[in-house]
Amino acid sequence: MPTPNEPLPAKTDRALQDLSALTLRRHSMDTLLQAVVDATASTLPGHVDSSISVLIGSRPATAVYTGQLALDLDESQYERGHGPCLHAATTGELVEITDARTETRWPDYTPRAVERHALSSLSVPLPMEGLHAGLNIYATEADAFDDATQSAAREFARSAAAAIANMYDYQTARDIAANLELALQSRAVIDQAKGILMERQKLTADQAFQTLAYASQAANVKLRDIADHLVRTGEMPQPPRRS
């Protein structure tokens, strides 16, 4: 795993090596893509959230994400039918917002970004034929993406595209769409579980997500399985007791 004091290129290379070691026999589409966004958020400097947007037919959706900020801003763009993540996914162009407070494109979206304290963002298209998708990175600071950071983001986008391309070696295009739909279903279960925690414990969406993430780490169980257990039983799984 990358260490905090490593230069960004070295951290990126190490993270990409870890991603390349993941095998299709042990991972599904959604877990491979989740690994990419997790590595992106943990490797790039500053406080960032990351997601992958996918257009299934004409319907945009967020397949995987690292935090509530990324999900909220993705969906804010979907509601409006435009924004940096949709532009990158549909045109194949990298889109950077250096400061949402002064950005003149998408004037009905950028105030939402400022409200959520995401002052800069980077949307990187996934280099694949036949699929409109993009890697989105949201940062709390303005001008968060220098040349080295943009280069690293492109590498993570290529890694996500490679994961999808490798899946094509084993599945038909119809099977790929089914896997992406499964990723969306997993996200829906997580959203339901967050809603339960927000209502019961009076938490914010971010706090509810972190509560689920902590339970996942403590129990060494996938976050979606923790969420599914809560939705089905109404109870949070308890971590195993240490002897």
Side-chain angles (χ1 to χ4, degrees), residues 44-49 69 96-101 113-114 116-122 137-146 149:
L44 298 186
H47 181 77
V48 300
D49 264 348
L69 174 65
E96 180 185 11
I97 292 179
T98 57
D99 192 334
R101 295 168 297 188
V114 174
R116 294 290 277 115
H117 306 293
L119 297 186
S120 57
S121 66
L122 195 67
I137 308 162
Y138 301 97
T140 56
E141 313 87 22
D143 297 305
F145 306 103
D146 58 14
T149 306

Side-chain angles (χ1 to χ4, degrees), residues 31 57 82 100 103 113 127 129 135-136 140 145 150 157 185 202 209 240:
T31 59
H82 57 252
E103 175 62 59
E129 292 203 16
L135 173 67
N136 311 307
T140 56
F145 306 103
Q150 290 195 25
Q185 292 170 12
K202 307 304 179 187
F209 182 85

